[in-house]
Amino acid sequence: MGLMEDYNPLKGKMFQILKPDGTLEPGAKPPLSDQEIVVFYQKMVFIRLADQRCLSLQRQGRFGTYAPIWGQEACQVGSASVLKKGDWVFPAFREIGATLIMGIPLKNLLLYWMGDEMGSRAPEEINFMPVSIPVGSQTLHAVGAAWGAKLKGDKEVAIVYFGDGATSEGDFHEAMNFAGVFQLPVIFFCQNNQYAISLPRKKQTASKTIAQKAIAYGFGGIQVDGNDLLAAYAAAREAREKALSGGGPTLIEAVTYRFGPHTTADDPTKYRKEEEIEEWKGLDPVIRLQKYLAGKGLWDEGLERKFRGEAEEKINRAVQEAETISPPPVEDIFRYTYSQMTPVLKEQLTDYQAFLKEKES
Ligand SMILES: Cc1ncc(C[n+]2csc(CCOP(=O)(O)OP(=O)(O)O)c2C)c(N)n1
């Protein structure tokens, strides 16, 4: 039996390989070798530090806003790492982890949050779509890509990232239905981080789990411990293999927690208690993997310093590169919203240009 049957969400048991204390679940086997896990740990450290830098860049006024990943590193690193060249990735807006794992340069991500749309352009060989701000809309795009791949007979899958809040959007349900009816090679990857801004998960849906929603659409769903890199990896790998062998879609609910604010415009102290955050900090995905590696003699302070030092250097270089690129002209907002400017946009552009001229004189 595969994971999807063993952990059918109606059975009420979440899939986990690595326990919060860094030891394995009894009988569980890691889906990766020790050396591979060290590399994954290094990537998680890099992502955590890059995320922290993004937050401070915003606080210094060098970014517009930013949606931090802090706490959700394992589910993104685990799931994105199973993808292969040609697969399609549809992120929401909190996906620094999946972005970097897919090979998008950090510089691009920095440019995006600095307000330069050129940051959204992925290298030609990577099928990574731009950030999607309208909650849940990217689920439909992913289904379209998966349908295209199926019609063309391409051996590719699409994965779409979204939060618990997105599961209340009509788009999500239309996408799930379509994917089920057409048996499309798509992975719906829900990061249930317990909140949609201030709305807690329990007010989002009356379903016991988000994973069980897949059953209504006629395909498999699984709830995984999203702070367990190994579980996220194993579940995504199985979902990808299933999709490629014609088995259709899968919904993965990764149970995790957002340690930081929703975005830099949010104040989470208004809607959640410090004790709750502290409780989840005990499940920290990066620390958990570190404990696992330390238990096997594969991690020590020296390695940590090395990983952090190398990461900081790379991050510094990316920030420098991004900040030396001239910002795009503000007029681009009017020019590139549609392929042809609408009459209203033309009028707004003329007004804006007149305003700039007046300011200069
Ligand atoms: C269609 C739409 N409605 C509302 C918003 C405002 N909004 C931005 S993020 C967000 C919450 C999203 O929560 P969730 O899907 O759980 O993702 P998370 O932010 O927790 O990663 C809302 C309501 C939006 N961007 N798009």
Side-chain angles (χ1 to χ4, degrees):
M1 283 231 292
L3 292 175
M4 306 297 157
E5 288 80 30
D6 289 348
Y7 291 89
N8 178 313
L10 295 181
K11 289 187 182 164
K13 192 166 183 293
M14 180 165 80
F15 174 50
Q16 188 182 62
I17 293 179
L18 198 55
K19 292 191 288 183
D21 65 1
T23 62
L24 295 173
E25 272 283 316
K29 262 208 193 124
L32 294 156
S33 70
D34 284 352
Q35 282 325 307
E36 285 171 326
I37 297 175
V38 172
V39 174
F40 275 64
Y41 176 73
Q42 184 178 15
K43 290 179 181 177
M44 296 228 286
V45 169
F46 182 84
I47 289 161
R48 180 156 289 189
L49 292 177
D51 186 59
Q52 281 171 7
R53 182 69 64 89
C54 289
L55 260 177
S56 55
L57 287 169
Q58 195 282 334
R59 298 299 187 219
Q60 294 162 16
R62 292 151 78 186
F63 266 23
T65 182
Y66 180 65
I69 186 180
W70 188 23
Q72 300 176 216
E73 295 89 349
C75 45
Q76 286 189 28
V77 171
S79 56
S81 296
V82 309
L83 302 172
K84 301 273 186 287
K85 195 164 183 280
D87 287 342
W88 297 82
V89 185
F90 293 81
F93 40 75
R94 200 182 296 291
E95 271 66 66
I96 180 173
T99 307
L100 296 177
I101 293 293
M102 292 310 294
I104 308 290
L106 176 59
K107 180 194 76 184
N108 288 37
L109 193 129
L110 301 176
L111 280 175
Y112 173 81
W113 291 105
M114 286 171 182
D116 187 340
E117 268 303 334
M118 290 315 285
S120 297
R121 180 181 278 184
E124 207 51 52
E125 67 285 3
I126 308 175
N127 292 333
F128 195 91
M129 298 299 120
V131 163
S132 179
I133 298 292
V135 170
S137 55
Q138 72 279 17
T139 53
L140 290 165
H141 308 156
V143 162
W147 195 22
K150 183 169 177 168
L151 290 174
K152 290 197 303 189
D154 291 342
K155 285 279 166 211
E156 292 163 0
V157 306
I159 186 166
V160 54
Y161 290 95
F162 52 94
D164 39 302
T167 67
S168 296
E169 291 288 344
D171 288 359
F172 166 76
H173 296 278
E174 290 167 27
M176 293 277 284
N177 188 51
F178 202 95
V181 170
F182 289 90
Q183 283 290 287
L184 299 180
V186 56
I187 304 170
F188 293 93
F189 198 91
C190 177
Q191 294 172 86
N192 167 10
N193 65 7
Q194 312 305 325
Y195 288 90
I197 313 186
S198 55
L199 193 83
R201 154 64 185 89
K202 62 177 183 301
K203 289 194 180 161
Q204 192 66 248
T205 173
S207 305
K208 194 154 175 245
T209 67
I210 287 171
Q212 74 193 56
K213 291 178 189 289
I215 295 166
Y217 294 103
F219 55 89
I222 183 169
Q223 193 183 48
V224 306
D225 182 340
N227 288 1
D228 172 357
L229 171 90
L230 304 180
Y233 180 89
R237 187 174 66 180
E238 187 174 302
R240 184 176 183 277
E241 282 162 8
K242 178 183 121 182
L244 284 181
S245 60
T250 302
L251 169 62
I252 298 175
E253 174 190 358
V255 178
T256 182
Y257 195 77
R258 148 168 77 69
F259 290 145
H262 167 71
T263 65
T264 45
D266 173 43
D267 175 5
T269 62
K270 298 266 187 275
Y271 56 84
R272 60 183 199 184
K273 295 207 164 55
E274 198 52 46
E275 301 88 76
E276 179 185 297
I277 304 169
E278 284 314 307
E279 212 173 294
W280 278 93
K281 287 243 173 103
L283 306 177
D284 187 315
V286 180
I287 304 292
R288 187 183 307 197
L289 206 61
Q290 186 191 90
K291 282 185 186 158
Y292 174 72
L293 293 174
K296 300 196 109 200
L298 295 166
W299 176 93
D300 59 24
E301 296 284 350
L303 186 73
E304 186 72 15
R305 269 197 303 278
K306 178 173 176 295
F307 284 172
R308 285 174 173 258
E310 288 170 0
E312 293 292 6
E313 249 177 62
K314 275 197 205 163
I315 295 166
N316 288 343
R317 265 204 309 276
V319 173
Q320 216 169 16
E321 275 180 58
E323 288 193 328
T324 47
I325 292 171
S326 312
V330 178
E331 288 94 323
D332 281 6
I333 296 171
F334 305 98
R335 289 203 179 100
Y336 301 121
T337 304
Y338 299 100
S339 61
Q340 303 279 324
M341 258 196 290
T342 61
V344 172
L345 281 178
K346 274 187 196 156
E347 201 182 311
Q348 288 178 358
L349 174 60
T350 312
D351 282 355
Y352 183 68
Q353 283 166 332
F355 165 77
L356 287 182
K357 232 187 194 158
E358 203 180 294
K359 229 171 84 172
E360 273 166 24
S361 60

